[in-house]
Amino acid sequence: MRLNPFAGIYLTDPASIWQRILDDPDGVHYAEDLGLWLISRHADVRRALADVATFGSTLTLAPVYEVCPEAMSVLVQIDAPPTTAAADPPVHPRTRRALRATFANTGERVEADYGAIVRRRVDQLVSRLAARQGDQVDLIPEFATELPLLVVLDILGVPDADIGRIRSWADGQIALVWGQPDPAEQVRLARDLLEFWHYCEELVRRRVDSGHQGDDFISRALAYRDDDDTVLTVSEVASLAFNLLVAGHETTAGLLAHALDQALSTPQRWSALAAAPASVPAFVSETLRFAPAIDGWLRVTSRDVTLGTVTIPAGARCLLLIGAANRDPAVFAHPDRFHPQRADVGNHLSFGHGPHFCIGAGLARLEAEIAVTRLTDAIPGLRLANEQQRSYKPNVAFRAHRTLLATIDAGTPTDIPASRGEVAAEAHAA
């Protein structure tokens, strides 16, 4: 079959393609246009995420197409050691321990370490939007992408002045690895990625030279390594920063964009959230299932593996269709219905599963919940612009909105239900 993820319906309605794949009795398909095996069923995707001995991560950050020679000559100069998404045992368990020790990853730790940062940045951006009464804005660059990037810059101790460069570098890496750039664009993006890596190396070098006495992530990681390369090398600290500056904001930016899209595309949802802020966490959880920011992820088989009736050969690259798995009717009741009160929402795979479960899941949830709560409170009349049309950037993994045009209206919307009971009923029926 052909997935054709860079054009057509996959850019506007990928769920219709996932449904067709899930309906096929084989469950596993080979996409000739990508040279990737497509794994779509929840049980199979969950197994692939957990079984690192069979489904390795070595090629997770390798482009999904044949890179032109000039771009490849640049990419081979990036000597960042694998530490997170592209790391396998025995490296990954060691670097994962370092991350767990230095990056808050439980609800309690996230709130204690990062809660004040998130609230300050949310208030900053919400106030800026609320002051533009009557204006049309694009919520993607002006809120959804900026908020998590500012937060991760604070966590890593990076100056705000660098936000433009880092945003461009991060977007470029995603386009280079999971997009379909032409050769000239491949060369440009490869050069930018090399510059990004050198920037991260310099960030760490400065902390080393200053004695890493701060409370930022890089200083914490250097203190954790305690000059012991068997614990963590200096280059690995730079690699962790390199990865966090991308993963720490791109995935949360996607979650925010999808949450705002789902809330605003049905005005009653925005009204219900404004009237009942306690419903926001459930709304965010259902957004994660229904519209994941990352709806595909790459693995490579280390040996022949049979899923159902299909055998995938050793050395094959696989695309785990997380978006499809999150709509598998074998796991989710009425999977194509957006239902914030569903009992099975906790089975979604949007943060992964197993050894590579997203280290920033708690932070992403906190950012999304605070952001939606503050926005609905400050701008209860926020609404999508008439010309807004849902469309995504061409990519096999990151489901990123092109735009999310909205009109700022701080007035109270007319469709807020009259009572809390009606709010609850509407949320249940959404």
Side-chain angles (χ1 to χ4, degrees):
M1 68 168 290
R2 296 179 64 83
L3 185 65
N4 195 23
F6 304 115
I9 196 168
Y10 208 76
L11 297 184
T12 56
D13 184 22
S16 62
I17 306 297
W18 299 334
Q19 185 61 59
R20 179 162 57 86
I21 294 172
L22 285 168
D23 286 344
D24 190 289
D26 286 337
V28 177
H29 304 80
Y30 184 72
E32 294 92 350
D33 55 329
L34 299 173
L36 301 174
W37 288 85
L38 307 180
I39 301 175
S40 59
R41 291 177 179 165
H42 187 280
D44 294 337
V45 171
R46 191 173 187 272
R47 172 186 171 184
L49 290 169
D51 184 0
V52 296
T54 303
F55 294 90
S57 299
T58 307
L59 299 180
T60 293
L61 300 182
V64 296
Y65 53 88
E66 185 174 350
V67 178
C68 72
E70 187 178 355
M72 184 57 72
S73 70
V74 178
L75 291 176
V76 296
Q77 300 176 52
I78 302 174
D79 55 353
T83 51
T84 56
D88 280 324
V91 171
H92 184 255
R94 175 174 55 81
T95 55
R96 180 77 174 193
R97 282 194 299 273
L99 265 179
R100 290 179 66 87
T102 55
F103 188 90
N105 55 86
T106 64
E108 184 176 345
R109 284 182 62 196
V110 168
E111 175 58 48
D113 289 5
Y114 307 143
I117 293 173
V118 173
R119 288 178 176 83
R120 176 172 60 85
R121 290 303 195 177
V122 168
D123 287 346
Q124 173 187 339
L125 297 187
V126 169
S127 296
R128 190 177 71 186
L129 286 175
R132 298 181 59 183
Q133 173 68 20
D135 287 356
Q136 179 175 293
V137 301
D138 186 347
L139 293 173
I140 300 303
E142 298 200 43
F143 190 81
T145 59
E146 187 167 3
L147 171 62
L149 184 49
L150 287 171
V151 169
V152 80
L153 293 189
D154 286 343
I155 291 171
L156 268 68
V158 177
D160 286 7
D162 291 346
I163 187 172
R165 288 195 296 167
I166 293 171
R167 178 186 289 172
S168 177
W169 286 332
D171 289 348
Q173 181 183 11
I174 288 170
L176 180 67
V177 175
W178 295 286
Q180 197 180 43
D182 61 36
E185 183 70 353
Q186 291 174 33
V187 174
R188 184 187 72 80
L189 294 174
R191 289 172 177 163
D192 284 352
L193 193 60
L194 177 61
E195 184 181 2
F196 188 17
W197 168 237
H198 289 328
Y199 172 89
C200 293
E201 288 184 303
E202 178 63 16
L203 280 178
V204 174
R205 187 193 65 76
R206 289 177 186 170
R207 297 297 196 288
V208 171
D209 291 346
S210 66
H212 51 81
Q213 299 301 312
D215 194 40
D216 59 88
F217 169 77
I218 294 173
S219 297
R220 287 185 180 185
L222 289 170
Y224 173 86
R225 88 172 271 275
D226 196 25
D227 294 324
D228 185 348
D229 284 350
T230 65
V231 174
L232 206 61
T233 68
V234 171
S235 188
E236 285 174 335
V237 174
S239 178
L240 289 173
F242 190 40
N243 284 278
L244 287 174
L245 281 170
V246 179
H249 93 271
E250 290 282 1
T251 52
T252 305
L255 169 57
L256 285 168
H258 286 288
L260 292 172
D261 188 3
Q262 291 302 319
L264 293 168
S265 59
T266 302
Q268 292 81 4
R269 290 178 184 164
W270 190 257
S271 303
L273 292 168
S279 66
V280 170
F283 184 90
V284 168
S285 292
E286 176 64 345
T287 298
L288 284 163
R289 182 200 71 85
F290 189 81
I294 295 178
D295 57 32
W297 203 239
L298 295 168
R299 287 287 187 267
V300 60
T301 54
S302 59
R303 55 187 175 227
D304 292 357
V305 57
T306 299
L307 299 176
T309 61
V310 178
T311 298
I312 302 173
R317 296 190 79 184
C318 303
L319 181 63
L320 314 184
L321 294 174
I322 293 169
N326 282 355
R327 297 197 184 206
D328 188 339
V331 177
F332 301 99
H334 309 290
D336 294 320
R337 177 183 173 194
F338 187 89
H339 179 18
Q341 303 304 318
R342 65 170 57 246
D344 50 23
V345 70
N347 294 322
H348 74 74
L349 297 173
S350 299
F351 287 130
H353 176 70
H356 284 270
F357 183 83
C358 178
I359 198 79
L363 178 59
R365 284 185 181 276
L366 183 70
E367 288 185 55
E369 290 171 9
I370 292 174
V372 172
T373 301
R374 296 289 176 90
L375 268 176
T376 53
D377 179 62
I379 317 175
L382 186 68
R383 62 185 183 276
L384 290 183
N386 291 333
E387 56 266 45
Q388 169 61 25
Q389 296 292 325
R390 186 180 294 147
S391 178
Y392 306 107
K393 296 178 182 179
N395 201 277
V396 300
F398 286 75
R399 185 63 50 188
H401 287 70
R402 291 182 181 274
T403 63
L404 195 61
L405 304 177
T407 300
I408 303 297
D409 184 354
T412 302
T414 58
D415 57 1
I416 290 182
S419 71
R420 295 272 175 173
E422 289 178 14
V423 170
E426 183 179 44
H428 186 77

